[in-house]
């Protein structure tokens, strides 16, 4: 976990992997190297049994991620631009499809790719000083890491188009009102609150949690049949040890202890 130049990874005793984007001098802007490190980090989270959930945040008091790294934009061609967009979409989708819960702890600016990264996480907790926006049209470009799609899904087309077309930033309270974030907390409570939320999910049946994530993703994927996915996952749960433990614990009036089996 030490061979990252632009991320900090920390795995705690509860199985929470905190991934911190660590380029504070550039407000944690995502250059291509950082996108590749995020790809490695999410693969590590998926493939490491000791990791039970992921918290994603940014270094420093000012920014979660202030966008893609604008200094890398001038070299783009139609071909490399398409590659950059599809690669970023793929990496962010890995967070979204991760069967372990992923929470964005948004500690400041979440602009462009930063807003897109937060939206690829399963839940978002914002510090009161967080700011959200998709300012790409200010630069003569559009969001390329899923922003036009996920923002539309999360807050509805009319509200999404206003943010996408005006490039306006919204504060945390407005982001909450729009449904873009789940909670708004004081900056000094952000990590603790986010970890408490994650730990609550970690007490649930891990297989069921993963299936819920996948079924919710299927609801918004035109290539999949969401109700059929739900029924298939429901059926799979029926033959797990967790589904023996859950009802047994309920009837015995004790907390369930799930094994993820
Ligand atoms: N890419 C590259 N560098 C970035 C960046 C980005 N997306 N966002 C901020 N930075 C850099 C700045 O260039 C500056 O570097 P410098 O100190 O070497 O000059 C440093 O981070 C601090 O940013 P600064 O603009 O001085 O901070 P600010 O508090 O005045 O403004 C923002 C903060 C977020 C409003 C402003 O940085 C901004 O608008 N950033 C770009 C946001 C954006 O358009 N993102 C989408 C990109 S597609």
């Amino acid at each position: 976990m030490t061979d990252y130049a632009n991320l900090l990874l920390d795995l705690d005793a509860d199985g929470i992997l905190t991934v911190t984007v660590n380029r504070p001098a550039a407000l944690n802007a995502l250059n291509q190297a950082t996108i590749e490190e995020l790809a490695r980090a999410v693969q590590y989270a998926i493939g490491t049994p000791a990791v039970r959930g992921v918290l994603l945040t940014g270094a420093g008091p000012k920014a979660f991620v202030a966008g893609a790294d604008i200094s890398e934009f001038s070299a783009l061609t139609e071909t490399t631009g398409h590659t950059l967009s599809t690669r970023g979409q793929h990496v962010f989708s890995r967070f979204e499809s991760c069967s372990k819960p992923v929470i964005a702890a948004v500690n400041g600016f979440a602009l462009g790719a930063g807003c897109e990264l937060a939206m690829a996480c399963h839940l978002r907790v914002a510090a009161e000083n967080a700011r959200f926006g998709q300012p790409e049209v200010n630069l003569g470009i559009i969001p390329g890491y899923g922003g036009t799609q996920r923002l539309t899904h999360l807050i509805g087309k009319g509200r999404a188009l206003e943010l996408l077309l005006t490039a306006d930033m919204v504060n945390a309270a407005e982001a909450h009102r729009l449904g873009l974030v789940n909670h708004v907390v004081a900056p000094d409570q952000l990590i603790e609150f986010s970890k408490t939320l994650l730990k609550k999910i970690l007490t649930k049946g891990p297989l069921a949690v993963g299936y819920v994530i996948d079924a919710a993703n299927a609801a918004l994927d035109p290539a999949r049949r969401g109700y059929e996915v739900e029924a298939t996952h429901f059926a799979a749960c029926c033959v797990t040890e967790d589904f023996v433990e859950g009802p047994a614990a309920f009837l015995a009036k004790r907390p369930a202890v799930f094994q993820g089996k």
Side-chain angles (χ1 to χ4, degrees):
M1 292 205 291
T2 51
D3 57 339
Y4 291 86
N6 304 307
L7 302 180
L8 301 171
L9 267 64
D10 175 70
L11 180 58
D12 74 12
D14 294 308
I16 295 176
L17 179 71
T18 300
V19 177
T20 306
V21 181
N22 187 32
R23 303 184 71 219
L27 300 188
N28 303 322
L30 299 182
N31 56 8
Q32 283 310 290
T34 309
I35 292 282
E36 293 311 317
E37 292 193 3
L38 284 169
R40 270 204 288 140
V42 72
Q43 204 50 46
Y44 172 78
I46 292 166
T48 306
V51 176
R52 301 173 63 216
V54 179
L55 197 72
L56 198 52
T57 193
K62 210 169 156 182
F64 174 70
V65 165
D69 192 320
I70 296 170
S71 68
E72 292 185 343
F73 279 4
S74 60
L76 288 176
T77 65
E78 193 168 353
T79 303
T80 59
H82 191 270
T83 303
L84 176 136
S85 175
T86 52
R87 177 64 183 156
Q89 287 177 359
H90 176 76
V91 173
F92 285 16
S93 289
R94 298 289 284 164
F95 284 93
E96 185 173 54
S97 63
C98 179
S99 63
K100 304 171 186 181
V102 182
I103 294 184
V106 182
N107 56 307
F109 290 112
L111 303 175
C115 190
E116 292 173 297
L117 181 59
M119 290 192 292
C121 297
H122 302 134
L123 301 176
R124 284 150 293 286
V125 180
E128 285 160 349
N129 62 310
R131 298 283 180 278
F132 295 81
Q134 296 288 167
E136 285 86 349
V137 291
N138 283 337
L139 303 170
I141 198 161
I142 76 166
Y145 294 162
T148 60
Q149 307 303 296
R150 290 198 181 92
L151 192 61
T152 304
H153 285 147
L154 265 176
I155 70 172
K157 186 178 170 190
R159 289 184 286 253
L161 274 176
E162 183 167 350
L163 289 185
L164 292 160
L165 294 175
T166 64
D168 280 350
M169 266 189 239
V170 294
N171 64 22
E174 177 67 358
H176 188 246
R177 197 187 67 79
L178 290 169
L180 183 47
V181 301
N182 298 83
H183 299 277
V184 179
V185 300
D188 63 352
Q189 298 295 308
L190 179 67
I191 298 302
E192 193 186 333
F193 183 96
S194 303
K195 281 196 172 186
T196 300
L197 184 57
L198 201 43
K199 280 191 228 169
K200 180 191 276 190
I201 299 169
L202 297 181
T203 65
K204 316 302 178 191
L207 295 174
V209 165
Y211 286 143
V212 164
I213 290 168
D214 189 57
N217 286 338
L220 300 174
D221 184 345
R224 301 177 73 195
R225 294 156 57 92
Y227 285 96
E228 184 50 38
V229 170
E230 182 183 87
T232 302
H233 289 341
F234 182 91
C237 289
C238 292
V239 291
T240 63
E241 290 179 26
D242 286 353
F243 189 51
V244 176
E245 167 63 7
F250 176 81
L251 294 172
K253 301 188 187 305
R254 62 170 174 80
V257 181
F258 293 111
Q259 303 297 330
K261 291 195 267 191

